[in-house]
Amino acid sequence: MQFVTRFLPSFFVSWLLTFTLASLFHSQYVVNQLVNVGVVVKFNDRLNLTLDDWLGLLPTYGSIIAIAFLIAFPLAGLALKKLPTQRTALFALAGFFAFITVLTIIESIMNIHIIAGARGWGFYAQLFAGTIGGYVFAQMSRSTR
């Protein structure tokens, strides 16, 4: 029952926030690259692109992030048994390393960036999204005992 009441809602919120941030960072990275080559992007177009990306990336990138977190968070939970005072840091690092792993493995195996927004500074923005997701999970799933 603890899984359903504490971990599942925490996982869902952290995943949704992480995916939303990762999608937003991706979109803004791509728009920034267009602006850098002289394309004028109006605010309305920027907003529409961001919303379209969120919807378009949800089934693929959203699923990849969920799977990465489903692997990383239980590993952080195991480490938590050895380092019980480091809950927040462990889950934040789990989110960080989940993104490093996903982005690096997919690039090295398939020789592509899974999303265009994971190039240059966009890569670090994606890692930040993962870190925030791990932090949120750590805070929301904290035991109230």
Side-chain angles (χ1 to χ4, degrees):
M1 191 64 170
Q2 180 180 10
F3 174 79
V4 173
T5 60
R6 194 171 83 188
F7 295 116
L8 194 56
S10 301
F11 180 85
F12 180 74
V13 169
S14 67
W15 165 81
L16 183 61
L17 174 63
T18 302
F19 169 71
T20 298
L21 287 173
S23 177
L24 174 70
F25 295 156
H26 156 75
S27 300
Q28 298 316 303
Y29 178 86
V30 170
V31 169
N32 188 54
Q33 295 305 305
L34 291 171
V35 169
N36 286 344
V37 295
V39 176
V40 176
V41 181
K42 296 177 184 171
F43 179 77
N44 238 15
D45 295 331
R46 188 180 286 257
L47 185 59
N48 286 333
L49 173 71
T50 302
L51 294 173
D52 287 346
D53 279 349
W54 192 91
L55 289 171
L57 291 171
L58 184 58
T60 53
Y61 199 41
S63 297
I64 290 169
I65 292 169
I67 292 167
F69 278 3
L70 284 170
I71 295 168
F73 289 171
L75 291 174
L78 289 174
L80 188 60
K81 292 178 182 185
K82 296 282 187 190
L83 302 164
T85 62
Q86 302 300 316
R87 177 181 187 77
T88 301
L90 287 171
F91 282 103
L93 284 170
F96 178 85
F97 283 111
F99 269 72
I100 284 180
T101 303
V102 164
L103 295 173
T104 304
I105 286 176
I106 290 175
E107 183 183 353
S108 64
I109 291 174
M110 301 176 76
N111 202 25
I112 61 165
H113 289 279
I114 187 169
I115 60 170
R119 298 177 184 153
W121 62 264
F123 177 79
Y124 301 104
Q126 296 298 306
L127 300 183
F128 180 68
T131 303
I132 294 298
Y135 174 84
V136 167
F137 181 80
Q139 298 308 307
M140 289 188 67
S141 63
R142 188 177 300 277
S143 177
T144 56
R145 291 185 241 169

